[in-house]
Amino acid sequence: MSPRPMVRPGGRSARVQESVHAAVRELVGEVGRDALTVPMVAGRAGVTPSTIYRRWGDLQELLSDVAVERLRPETEPADLGSLRADLDAWAEQFLDEMASPAGRAYIRDALLGDSDGTNAGKCSAYAAEQLDAVLSRAVRRGEPVPETELLIDRVVAPIMYRILFRPGRLDTAYARELVTHALSAV
Amino acid sequence: MSPRPMVRPGGRSARVQESVHAAVRELVGEVGRDALTVPMVAGRAGVTPSTIYRRWGDLQELLSDVAVERLRPETEPADLGSLRADLDAWAEQFLDEMASPAGRAYIRDALLGDSDGTNAGKCSAYAAEQLDAVLSRAVRRGEPVPETELLIDRVVAPIMYRILFRPGRLDTAYARELVTHALSAV
């Protein structure tokens, strides 16, 4: 759950992270992202500002970590009985979530405070894990399946590219078209 | 050339933009991006800091505008006599430039100081214009061609997605594989 190697689940470090993340989420809801400051977050979380600076460097890095946590999928992809149905549902939900105003803000935050690419890599790993789950299920059903990396290139990448760089086309029909095309490879 | 509607080519506004952009490029080379400040850029460009704040808002927005200028292609894509050869060459060069340390820094800058997506949209428009030029040439040769948006989805998007989110695979073989796949549609 935590991006820092020194964090042990249940330890003090994990508790600090949890309370600081919770403070950010609450304060973003109350005062908005633009009004957020490190002392404000520290006050709400019950830690000193220097604890936050020491651990996260600055507010942008903290917002990046919080965003990645928010982008982490909470459930397994739905099992609808076939690869096609599972992928359609997953792609539609992925597109809906990422292209929503909240999703766009999280993607942006995740990238901005992430100078070494660790958090961006996590976002991509989350998508790959969900696709792996869908593909493993299809293999157990005896269906032919494409590679995960092919689905990344043909379904995930176009959606994320259009969200970041090229507005338009981001609807359910587009998600299904990408899935149809990706599955034409198997 | 300019992102601001009030800029007329050759007018004072255009001259200010040119001198400020030049100052940023020089100073990034001399002191590095992280040491850059608005007063430093203003001093070098011979304008007041308030001119920069009024026009660009803050340093991040200025860096975004400079980055987009740097990402603007300077030449037409090479004419190598066939759609396949032109697209291979274009995709390899696009990948090389975007995945280079300088390219990554520009993409990052372009996205970071770009809250309304205007600059990201320009980056995408540059790629689309280059692809349009390649496709128009192929049409004049009598070759069958795919849609520009299909090339965006199948060649540009995977490259940009992997640069931003998923390291690895960014080599010439990958660029050619994407082109092969995109052309299998026609």
Side-chain angles (χ1 to χ4, degrees):
Chain A
M1 273 188 56
S2 160
R4 305 286 147 152
M6 75 280 218
V7 177
R8 283 164 293 110
R12 179 177 136 70
S13 197
R15 287 196 306 274
V16 166
Q17 173 173 308
E18 181 40 47
S19 63
V20 169
H21 278 212
V24 170
R25 293 193 300 267
E26 288 167 25
L27 288 166
V28 165
E30 290 167 27
V31 305
R33 276 183 76 276
D34 293 345
L36 217 62
T37 64
V38 167
M40 203 188 283
V41 173
R44 177 67 61 98
V47 302
T48 62
S50 66
T51 299
I52 293 181
Y53 290 119
R54 206 162 44 234
R55 177 130 162 202
W56 280 279
D58 62 18
L59 185 62
Q60 214 164 48
E61 288 181 51
L62 170 56
L63 286 171
S64 178
D65 282 3
V66 171
V68 169
E69 268 303 294
R70 301 301 268 183
L71 291 169
R72 193 158 56 93
E74 284 167 1
T75 53
E76 284 269 291
D79 184 349
L80 300 168
S82 74
L83 176 58
R84 171 77 213 205
D86 286 3
L87 272 184
D88 271 343
W90 184 83
E92 282 170 37
Q93 192 187 343
F94 181 77
L95 188 154
D96 276 352
E97 287 178 4
M98 296 294 157
S100 70
R104 286 170 186 268
Y106 290 137
I107 295 167
R108 201 178 154 70
D109 277 346
L111 286 174
L112 300 208
D114 180 42
S115 49
D116 66 355
T118 306
N119 281 345
K122 278 190 197 179
C123 295
S124 184
Y126 294 152
E129 283 160 21
Q130 295 256 302
L131 291 169
D132 281 342
V134 166
L135 294 175
S136 300
R137 219 151 48 198
V139 167
R140 286 196 297 274
R141 285 189 207 108
E143 295 182 271
V145 298
E147 299 281 336
T148 306
E149 294 300 324
L150 183 142
L151 295 177
I152 294 283
D153 280 341
R154 300 193 188 176
V155 179
V156 175
I159 290 172
M160 293 296 281
Y161 179 79
R162 288 181 185 277
I163 287 172
L164 283 168
F165 292 98
R166 200 167 178 83
R169 296 201 83 185
L170 286 163
D171 56 16
T172 300
Y174 180 62
R176 283 176 185 255
E177 190 188 299
L178 294 174
V179 171
T180 299
H181 164 61
L183 290 183
S184 71
V186 293
Chain B
M1 274 187 56
S2 162
R4 306 285 148 152
M6 73 279 220
V7 177
R8 284 165 292 109
R12 180 179 134 70
S13 196
R15 286 196 306 276
V16 166
Q17 173 173 306
E18 181 40 47
S19 63
V20 169
H21 278 212
V24 169
R25 292 193 300 268
E26 288 166 25
L27 288 166
V28 165
E30 289 166 27
V31 305
R33 277 183 74 276
D34 293 345
L36 218 62
T37 65
V38 167
M40 204 186 284
V41 173
R44 178 65 62 99
V47 302
T48 61
S50 65
T51 299
I52 293 182
Y53 290 120
R54 206 164 42 234
R55 176 129 162 205
W56 280 279
D58 62 19
L59 185 62
Q60 214 164 48
E61 288 181 52
L62 170 56
L63 286 171
S64 178
D65 282 3
V66 171
V68 169
E69 267 304 294
R70 302 299 269 181
L71 290 169
R72 193 159 56 91
E74 285 166 0
T75 54
E76 283 269 291
D79 183 350
L80 300 168
S82 74
L83 176 58
R84 171 77 213 206
D86 287 3
L87 272 184
D88 271 344
W90 184 83
E92 283 171 36
Q93 192 186 342
F94 180 77
L95 187 154
D96 276 352
E97 287 177 5
M98 296 294 156
S100 70
R104 287 169 187 268
Y106 290 136
I107 294 167
R108 202 178 153 70
D109 277 347
L111 286 173
L112 300 208
D114 179 43
S115 50
D116 66 356
T118 306
N119 281 345
K122 279 191 196 180
C123 295
S124 185
Y126 294 152
E129 284 160 20
Q130 295 256 301
L131 292 169
D132 281 340
V134 165
L135 294 175
S136 301
R137 219 149 52 197
V139 167
R140 287 195 297 272
R141 286 190 208 107
E143 295 182 90
V145 299
E147 300 280 337
T148 305
E149 293 301 326
L150 182 143
L151 294 178
I152 293 284
D153 280 342
R154 300 193 189 176
V155 178
V156 175
I159 290 172
M160 293 296 281
Y161 179 80
R162 288 181 185 275
I163 287 171
L164 283 168
F165 292 99
R166 199 165 180 84
R169 298 201 83 187
L170 286 163
D171 56 17
T172 301
Y174 179 63
R176 284 176 184 256
E177 190 189 298
L178 294 174
V179 171
T180 299
H181 164 60
L183 290 183
S184 71
V186 292

